[in-house]
Amino acid sequence: MARYRTAMNDIYLLPNGGQSSDELLRLVERYKTTRLTALQLDPAAFGSTYTREIQFTYETWLSRIQNPLSKTFLSIDSTNTNQTDEIPLAQSEWVGTLTVLGPKVTSEGTTLWNTFTRENSTHTPDLAAVRNSNAIYMMAGVFVHPGYRRQGRAQRLVDAAVKRVREEAKFAGASRITIILQVNTENQAAVRLYETAGFLAVSNEKTDWRGMTWEEQLTF
Ligand SMILES: CC(C)(COP(=O)(O)OP(=O)(O)OC[C@H]1O[C@@H](n2cnc3c(N)ncnc32)[C@H](O)[C@@H]1OP(=O)(O)O)[C@@H](O)C(=O)NCCC(=O)NCCS
């Protein structure tokens, strides 16, 4: 289990393979509960709904955890545990989440904003295709439980995700990295969060959702 060492030591990367079936069962249950709670508490913040996802089968939740194109970062409440304790993730308190998909490259007929669709976002990433290209990632599902907000948890989740995908894109020999996300224009907390993390607003066809991007040239 990868722990992302931050000042608060609270960020973990959810493994998408290698667990025992019992552990997997518990992880799926924890993942499902956290996601459904987010959709219930903040319905306007996401591109999906509680009504849609409550109908997901165990296999659908499992495929989300095991999706080779996705990385899910978790913020854990570790106030009651010793910093050196290794508590199994499924038994920890998940108080924040963030998922990042990718990398992909744009092909003919695609733009940044339709690079990722529900249909094309579950395959094994083609790292070779990213070489000398713009590695595109999409950030989604950013959520911190209301009782844990304004403690910098979302900021640390975003920072850990950016750091991780930047390393991956560099390793794959990408010439550039672009992380995209969409945010409801009325969601000022989220807009501020992303601006603070270095995302810039770009124009987008949808009026109630704003596209934002984080970009860096990796090689010259
Ligand atoms: C948006 C959200 C993830 C922020 O989580 P958080 O852990 O409270 O955020 P942080 O404490 O890391 O805040 C980081 C920065 O974001 C901005 N921010 C966060 N909450 C804010 C708020 N309520 N009002 C204004 N700015 C806010 C600030 O710039 C803050 O930096 P600062 O505290 O130094 O001023 C959280 O409010 C949430 O889960 N909202 C519901 C779901 C959602 O909107 N997700 C985003 C979908 S695009």
Side-chain angles (χ1 to χ4, degrees):
M1 157 172 64
R3 175 186 285 186
Y4 275 73
R5 294 219 166 264
T6 59
M8 298 290 291
N9 244 349
D10 64 324
I11 308 297
Y12 288 77
L13 177 61
L14 182 63
N16 49 13
Q19 307 90 346
S20 68
S21 51
D22 277 0
E23 176 78 351
L24 202 51
L25 209 73
R26 284 192 287 267
L27 280 180
V28 168
E29 200 43 52
R30 187 49 66 99
Y31 180 89
K32 173 182 169 182
T33 307
T34 308
R35 172 69 177 167
L36 290 177
T37 303
L39 291 171
Q40 261 183 318
L41 292 180
D42 294 286
F46 304 104
S48 185
T49 63
Y50 177 83
T51 314
R52 173 174 172 264
E53 298 199 7
I54 187 71
Q55 295 174 51
F56 283 179
T57 60
Y58 173 81
E59 284 68 31
T60 304
W61 292 110
L62 180 64
S63 69
R64 281 199 170 186
I65 285 189
Q66 294 184 326
N67 180 359
L69 202 66
S70 94
K71 296 170 187 55
T72 294
F73 293 83
L74 305 169
S75 174
I76 301 295
D77 178 5
S78 51
T79 41
N80 294 324
T81 60
N82 188 309
Q83 287 287 306
T84 55
D85 285 352
E86 280 298 330
I87 303 211
L89 260 192
Q91 284 148 47
S92 307
E93 200 62 43
W94 299 11
V95 297
T97 59
L98 177 157
T99 294
V100 63
L101 293 168
K104 277 180 173 283
V105 291
T106 47
S107 51
E108 215 169 292
T110 62
T111 67
L112 269 185
W113 302 103
N114 62 16
T115 307
F116 295 89
T117 64
R118 277 188 184 138
E119 294 70 38
N120 77 0
S121 296
T122 54
H123 57 79
T124 303
D126 182 2
L127 288 184
V130 163
R131 187 162 186 79
N132 298 323
S133 298
N134 185 10
I136 302 165
Y137 292 86
M138 183 175 75
M139 196 175 273
V142 180
F143 171 74
V144 171
H145 197 279
Y148 293 84
R149 289 181 187 167
R150 300 313 295 259
Q151 298 174 6
R153 287 180 185 271
Q155 194 70 67
R156 292 193 292 280
L157 281 165
V158 172
D159 289 349
V162 169
K163 183 168 182 280
R164 175 69 180 80
V165 299
R166 192 176 172 277
E167 281 165 7
E168 182 177 77
K170 277 189 101 168
F171 178 76
S175 54
R176 191 173 180 80
I177 176 169
T178 303
I179 307 172
I180 64 171
L181 61 82
Q182 295 213 20
V183 57
N184 189 317
T185 45
E186 297 195 347
N187 191 348
Q188 279 310 306
V191 170
R192 289 286 307 278
L193 162 72
Y194 300 131
E195 283 173 350
T196 307
F199 283 78
L200 298 174
V202 293
S203 62
N204 193 5
E205 313 83 59
K206 295 181 181 173
T207 51
D208 48 347
W209 290 85
R210 174 182 302 165
M212 298 186 82
T213 60
W214 185 98
E215 299 196 68
E216 187 183 330
Q217 192 73 32
L218 295 175
T219 55
F220 297 95

